Amino acid sequence: MKTLIIYYSENGTTKLISETIAKSLSCYICEIKDLKKRNGIMNKLSSTIDAYRETKTKIYPSSLNLSEFDIIYFGTPTWVNNPTPAINTIIDNCNLVGKDIVLFSVDSENEIALDKMESKVKARGGRVIERFTLKTKNKSETQIILDTESLIQVLDLNLYK
């Protein structure tokens, strides 16, 4: 089975988690880049509105051929209880028919973002087999890595490789 982690990371935390999972499970990884400027106070406000409205954005890569992968992970920071526009866009641009999907979000206070991602995945033909959130606020990189490795064991994510 081939596994791919697709993620968007604004400040590097989701990237660190994705790389930790990829290393632990020996799988492929793909970072999605949001081509819209997201830094600065006005752009942060615009980003919050985009996430709340589930607005699409221009991303790179704009779509992916997932035909050779059996399991796909989608990882995202959480903005106002929503997945980021970049993750919403890539999910909507991919054929997920027959794919097993694992969803994760970073620093969510609840599972609303995961619920929204799951609805999008199901609409694209995917089957969500696992989902989780990771709390990272005020944690060191070392602690985030340890927490991620622990979660991999607790959820038995090795089962899906």
Side-chain angles (χ1 to χ4, degrees):
M1 279 192 189
K2 282 180 128 179
T3 303
L4 174 66
I5 299 172
I6 301 169
Y7 71 94
Y8 169 76
S9 186
E10 181 183 29
N11 62 19
T13 304
T14 307
K15 179 178 184 171
L16 179 63
I17 293 165
S18 298
E19 288 173 344
T20 303
I21 295 169
K23 182 179 177 184
S24 293
L25 302 181
S26 301
C27 54
Y28 297 87
I29 191 166
C30 177
E31 182 175 11
I32 301 301
K33 298 285 187 183
D34 190 331
L35 301 179
K36 182 174 182 179
K37 187 175 179 184
R38 298 277 180 197
N39 58 353
I41 190 94
M42 293 309 291
N43 292 330
K44 290 286 186 197
L45 178 61
S46 173
S47 296
T48 300
I49 292 167
D50 286 349
Y52 181 75
R53 292 181 178 167
E54 299 183 33
T55 304
K56 302 296 182 290
T57 190
K58 290 185 179 181
I59 57 172
Y60 180 83
S62 61
S63 65
L64 297 167
N65 179 354
L66 303 177
S67 61
E68 66 183 276
F69 297 100
D70 304 296
I71 300 172
I72 313 294
Y73 283 65
F74 286 103
T76 185
T78 305
W79 295 353
V80 292
N81 290 324
N82 287 285
T84 57
I87 285 299
N88 282 334
T89 302
I90 195 63
I91 290 173
D92 284 348
N93 291 350
C94 288
N95 178 1
L96 301 176
V97 174
K99 302 297 180 187
D100 288 333
I101 308 295
V102 177
L103 304 173
F104 68 94
S105 64
V106 177
D107 287 331
S108 178
E109 296 300 318
N110 53 52
E111 294 197 0
I112 294 171
L114 292 174
D115 292 341
K116 290 180 178 187
M117 290 169 67
E118 186 166 350
S119 292
K120 288 182 173 299
V121 163
K122 287 180 176 178
R124 304 292 303 152
R127 179 176 70 116
V128 176
I129 58 173
E130 186 63 78
R131 46 186 262 176
F132 57 90
T133 62
L134 285 153
K135 305 275 191 248
T136 63
K137 288 191 187 211
N138 302 319
K139 292 185 180 178
S140 68
E141 284 188 9
T142 302
Q143 188 60 54
I144 292 168
I145 291 169
L146 290 172
D147 288 353
T148 303
E149 290 172 342
S150 175
L151 193 62
I152 290 167
Q153 297 305 314
V154 168
L155 297 176
D156 201 12
L157 296 179
N158 285 306
L159 176 70
Y160 305 119
K161 59 180 228 191

PDB file of all heavy atoms in Angstrom, residues 143-161:
ATOM      1  N   GLN A 143       8.439  18.616  21.792  1.00  0.00           N
ATOM      2  CA  GLN A 143       7.203  18.108  22.399  1.00  0.00           C
ATOM      3  C   GLN A 143       6.161  17.778  21.337  1.00  0.00           C
ATOM      4  O   GLN A 143       5.445  16.785  21.448  1.00  0.00           O
ATOM      5  CB  GLN A 143       6.631  19.109  23.408  1.00  0.00           C
ATOM      6  CG  GLN A 143       5.472  18.538  24.198  1.00  0.00           C
ATOM      7  CD  GLN A 143       5.854  17.299  25.002  1.00  0.00           C
ATOM      8  OE1 GLN A 143       6.809  17.332  25.779  1.00  0.00           O
ATOM      9  NE2 GLN A 143       5.137  16.206  24.818  1.00  0.00           N
ATOM     10  N   ILE A 144       6.081  18.588  20.277  1.00  0.00           N
ATOM     11  CA  ILE A 144       5.144  18.323  19.182  1.00  0.00           C
ATOM     12  C   ILE A 144       5.487  17.000  18.506  1.00  0.00           C
ATOM     13  O   ILE A 144       4.608  16.186  18.213  1.00  0.00           O
ATOM     14  CB  ILE A 144       5.128  19.493  18.175  1.00  0.00           C
ATOM     15  CG1 ILE A 144       4.515  20.734  18.839  1.00  0.00           C
ATOM     16  CG2 ILE A 144       4.360  19.117  16.911  1.00  0.00           C
ATOM     17  CD1 ILE A 144       4.707  22.013  18.049  1.00  0.00           C
ATOM     18  N   ILE A 145       6.765  16.771  18.266  1.00  0.00           N
ATOM     19  CA  ILE A 145       7.206  15.503  17.663  1.00  0.00           C
ATOM     20  C   ILE A 145       6.847  14.334  18.568  1.00  0.00           C
ATOM     21  O   ILE A 145       6.298  13.322  18.113  1.00  0.00           O
ATOM     22  CB  ILE A 145       8.720  15.538  17.354  1.00  0.00           C
ATOM     23  CG1 ILE A 145       8.998  16.523  16.213  1.00  0.00           C
ATOM     24  CG2 ILE A 145       9.240  14.134  17.007  1.00  0.00           C
ATOM     25  CD1 ILE A 145      10.468  16.840  16.006  1.00  0.00           C
ATOM     26  N   LEU A 146       7.136  14.464  19.866  1.00  0.00           N
ATOM     27  CA  LEU A 146       6.820  13.382  20.812  1.00  0.00           C
ATOM     28  C   LEU A 146       5.314  13.123  20.885  1.00  0.00           C
ATOM     29  O   LEU A 146       4.880  11.966  20.908  1.00  0.00           O
ATOM     30  CB  LEU A 146       7.364  13.721  22.202  1.00  0.00           C
ATOM     31  CG  LEU A 146       8.887  13.695  22.351  1.00  0.00           C
ATOM     32  CD1 LEU A 146       9.299  14.244  23.712  1.00  0.00           C
ATOM     33  CD2 LEU A 146       9.433  12.294  22.142  1.00  0.00           C
ATOM     34  N   ASP A 147       4.526  14.197  20.899  1.00  0.00           N
ATOM     35  CA  ASP A 147       3.065  14.046  20.920  1.00  0.00           C
ATOM     36  C   ASP A 147       2.560  13.359  19.653  1.00  0.00           C
ATOM     37  O   ASP A 147       1.656  12.520  19.708  1.00  0.00           O
ATOM     38  CB  ASP A 147       2.374  15.403  21.080  1.00  0.00           C
ATOM     39  CG  ASP A 147       2.527  15.998  22.468  1.00  0.00           C
ATOM     40  OD1 ASP A 147       3.062  15.316  23.371  1.00  0.00           O
ATOM     41  OD2 ASP A 147       2.122  17.169  22.651  1.00  0.00           O
ATOM     42  N   THR A 148       3.138  13.721  18.510  1.00  0.00           N
ATOM     43  CA  THR A 148       2.738  13.109  17.239  1.00  0.00           C
ATOM     44  C   THR A 148       3.097  11.628  17.223  1.00  0.00           C
ATOM     45  O   THR A 148       2.275  10.785  16.838  1.00  0.00           O
ATOM     46  CB  THR A 148       3.406  13.845  16.051  1.00  0.00           C
ATOM     47  OG1 THR A 148       3.056  15.231  16.105  1.00  0.00           O
ATOM     48  CG2 THR A 148       2.958  13.258  14.724  1.00  0.00           C
ATOM     49  N   GLU A 149       4.309  11.305  17.650  1.00  0.00           N
ATOM     50  CA  GLU A 149       4.729   9.896  17.695  1.00  0.00           C
ATOM     51  C   GLU A 149       3.841   9.092  18.650  1.00  0.00           C
ATOM     52  O   GLU A 149       3.494   7.948  18.355  1.00  0.00           O
ATOM     53  CB  GLU A 149       6.205   9.799  18.105  1.00  0.00           C
ATOM     54  CG  GLU A 149       7.138  10.297  17.013  1.00  0.00           C
ATOM     55  CD  GLU A 149       8.589  10.408  17.448  1.00  0.00           C
ATOM     56  OE1 GLU A 149       8.860  10.434  18.685  1.00  0.00           O
ATOM     57  OE2 GLU A 149       9.454  10.483  16.559  1.00  0.00           O
ATOM     58  N   SER A 150       3.477   9.692  19.765  1.00  0.00           N
ATOM     59  CA  SER A 150       2.584   9.026  20.714  1.00  0.00           C
ATOM     60  C   SER A 150       1.212   8.778  20.098  1.00  0.00           C
ATOM     61  O   SER A 150       0.642   7.690  20.240  1.00  0.00           O
ATOM     62  CB  SER A 150       2.450   9.874  21.980  1.00  0.00           C
ATOM     63  OG  SER A 150       1.520   9.310  22.851  1.00  0.00           O
ATOM     64  N   LEU A 151       0.697   9.779  19.396  1.00  0.00           N
ATOM     65  CA  LEU A 151      -0.611   9.642  18.746  1.00  0.00           C
ATOM     66  C   LEU A 151      -0.586   8.551  17.675  1.00  0.00           C
ATOM     67  O   LEU A 151      -1.550   7.804  17.526  1.00  0.00           O
ATOM     68  CB  LEU A 151      -1.040  10.978  18.145  1.00  0.00           C
ATOM     69  CG  LEU A 151      -2.480  11.067  17.706  1.00  0.00           C
ATOM     70  CD1 LEU A 151      -3.431  10.882  18.873  1.00  0.00           C
ATOM     71  CD2 LEU A 151      -2.742  12.397  17.045  1.00  0.00           C
ATOM     72  N   ILE A 152       0.512   8.443  16.951  1.00  0.00           N
ATOM     73  CA  ILE A 152       0.661   7.385  15.948  1.00  0.00           C
ATOM     74  C   ILE A 152       0.496   6.013  16.609  1.00  0.00           C
ATOM     75  O   ILE A 152      -0.174   5.128  16.068  1.00  0.00           O
ATOM     76  CB  ILE A 152       2.021   7.495  15.223  1.00  0.00           C
ATOM     77  CG1 ILE A 152       2.032   8.732  14.321  1.00  0.00           C
ATOM     78  CG2 ILE A 152       2.330   6.230  14.422  1.00  0.00           C
ATOM     79  CD1 ILE A 152       3.410   9.108  13.803  1.00  0.00           C
ATOM     80  N   GLN A 153       1.074   5.860  17.797  1.00  0.00           N
ATOM     81  CA  GLN A 153       0.968   4.587  18.522  1.00  0.00           C
ATOM     82  C   GLN A 153      -0.441   4.380  19.080  1.00  0.00           C
ATOM     83  O   GLN A 153      -1.009   3.299  18.938  1.00  0.00           O
ATOM     84  CB  GLN A 153       2.001   4.549  19.663  1.00  0.00           C
ATOM     85  CG  GLN A 153       3.430   4.599  19.193  1.00  0.00           C
ATOM     86  CD  GLN A 153       3.771   3.520  18.184  1.00  0.00           C
ATOM     87  OE1 GLN A 153       3.429   2.353  18.363  1.00  0.00           O
ATOM     88  NE2 GLN A 153       4.420   3.899  17.100  1.00  0.00           N
ATOM     89  N   VAL A 154      -1.004   5.421  19.687  1.00  0.00           N
ATOM     90  CA  VAL A 154      -2.339   5.307  20.304  1.00  0.00           C
ATOM     91  C   VAL A 154      -3.397   4.963  19.258  1.00  0.00           C
ATOM     92  O   VAL A 154      -4.262   4.115  19.487  1.00  0.00           O
ATOM     93  CB  VAL A 154      -2.713   6.612  21.048  1.00  0.00           C
ATOM     94  CG1 VAL A 154      -4.177   6.634  21.435  1.00  0.00           C
ATOM     95  CG2 VAL A 154      -1.832   6.787  22.277  1.00  0.00           C
ATOM     96  N   LEU A 155      -3.334   5.629  18.092  1.00  0.00           N
ATOM     97  CA  LEU A 155      -4.304   5.374  17.027  1.00  0.00           C
ATOM     98  C   LEU A 155      -3.930   4.182  16.158  1.00  0.00           C
ATOM     99  O   LEU A 155      -4.688   3.816  15.251  1.00  0.00           O
ATOM    100  CB  LEU A 155      -4.464   6.620  16.149  1.00  0.00           C
ATOM    101  CG  LEU A 155      -5.022   7.857  16.833  1.00  0.00           C
ATOM    102  CD1 LEU A 155      -5.038   9.040  15.859  1.00  0.00           C
ATOM    103  CD2 LEU A 155      -6.425   7.603  17.383  1.00  0.00           C
ATOM    104  N   ASP A 156      -2.763   3.621  16.412  1.00  0.00           N
ATOM    105  CA  ASP A 156      -2.253   2.480  15.633  1.00  0.00           C
ATOM    106  C   ASP A 156      -2.258   2.787  14.134  1.00  0.00           C
ATOM    107  O   ASP A 156      -2.741   2.002  13.320  1.00  0.00           O
ATOM    108  CB  ASP A 156      -3.075   1.215  15.923  1.00  0.00           C
ATOM    109  CG  ASP A 156      -2.304  -0.054  15.559  1.00  0.00           C
ATOM    110  OD1 ASP A 156      -1.075   0.021  15.305  1.00  0.00           O
ATOM    111  OD2 ASP A 156      -2.933  -1.119  15.492  1.00  0.00           O
ATOM    112  N   LEU A 157      -1.712   3.962  13.787  1.00  0.00           N
ATOM    113  CA  LEU A 157      -1.677   4.365  12.386  1.00  0.00           C
ATOM    114  C   LEU A 157      -0.779   3.467  11.538  1.00  0.00           C
ATOM    115  O   LEU A 157      -0.915   3.435  10.315  1.00  0.00           O
ATOM    116  CB  LEU A 157      -1.249   5.839  12.256  1.00  0.00           C
ATOM    117  CG  LEU A 157      -2.204   6.849  12.871  1.00  0.00           C
ATOM    118  CD1 LEU A 157      -1.668   8.261  12.707  1.00  0.00           C
ATOM    119  CD2 LEU A 157      -3.593   6.730  12.267  1.00  0.00           C
ATOM    120  N   ASN A 158       0.114   2.699  12.179  1.00  0.00           N
ATOM    121  CA  ASN A 158       0.930   1.728  11.444  1.00  0.00           C
ATOM    122  C   ASN A 158       0.061   0.671  10.761  1.00  0.00           C
ATOM    123  O   ASN A 158       0.463   0.052   9.793  1.00  0.00           O
ATOM    124  CB  ASN A 158       1.944   1.051  12.368  1.00  0.00           C
ATOM    125  CG  ASN A 158       3.095   1.973  12.693  1.00  0.00           C
ATOM    126  OD1 ASN A 158       3.738   2.509  11.807  1.00  0.00           O
ATOM    127  ND2 ASN A 158       3.340   2.171  13.976  1.00  0.00           N
ATOM    128  N   LEU A 159      -1.121   0.472  11.303  1.00  0.00           N
ATOM    129  CA  LEU A 159      -2.066  -0.477  10.727  1.00  0.00           C
ATOM    130  C   LEU A 159      -2.397  -0.127   9.284  1.00  0.00           C
ATOM    131  O   LEU A 159      -2.666  -0.998   8.466  1.00  0.00           O
ATOM    132  CB  LEU A 159      -3.343  -0.481  11.583  1.00  0.00           C
ATOM    133  CG  LEU A 159      -4.502  -1.342  11.114  1.00  0.00           C
ATOM    134  CD1 LEU A 159      -4.151  -2.816  11.270  1.00  0.00           C
ATOM    135  CD2 LEU A 159      -5.748  -1.022  11.931  1.00  0.00           C
ATOM    136  N   TYR A 160      -2.370   1.179   8.951  1.00  0.00           N
ATOM    137  CA  TYR A 160      -2.783   1.639   7.648  1.00  0.00           C
ATOM    138  C   TYR A 160      -1.632   1.837   6.669  1.00  0.00           C
ATOM    139  O   TYR A 160      -1.771   2.527   5.680  1.00  0.00           O
ATOM    140  CB  TYR A 160      -3.548   2.970   7.773  1.00  0.00           C
ATOM    141  CG  TYR A 160      -4.720   2.906   8.709  1.00  0.00           C
ATOM    142  CD1 TYR A 160      -4.766   3.704   9.833  1.00  0.00           C
ATOM    143  CD2 TYR A 160      -5.777   2.042   8.467  1.00  0.00           C
ATOM    144  CE1 TYR A 160      -5.837   3.650  10.696  1.00  0.00           C
ATOM    145  CE2 TYR A 160      -6.850   1.978   9.333  1.00  0.00           C
ATOM    146  CZ  TYR A 160      -6.872   2.777  10.441  1.00  0.00           C
ATOM    147  OH  TYR A 160      -7.941   2.724  11.298  1.00  0.00           O
ATOM    148  N   LYS A 161      -0.461   1.257   6.925  1.00  0.00           N
ATOM    149  CA  LYS A 161       0.622   1.470   5.962  1.00  0.00           C
ATOM    150  C   LYS A 161       0.870   0.283   5.086  1.00  0.00           C
ATOM    151  O   LYS A 161       0.326  -0.743   5.219  1.00  0.00           O
ATOM    152  CB  LYS A 161       1.915   1.923   6.630  1.00  0.00           C
ATOM    153  CG  LYS A 161       2.509   1.036   7.653  1.00  0.00           C
ATOM    154  CD  LYS A 161       3.761   1.668   8.171  1.00  0.00           C
ATOM    155  CE  LYS A 161       4.860   0.635   8.178  1.00  0.00           C
ATOM    156  NZ  LYS A 161       6.030   0.975   8.843  1.00  0.00           N
TER     157      LYS A 161
END
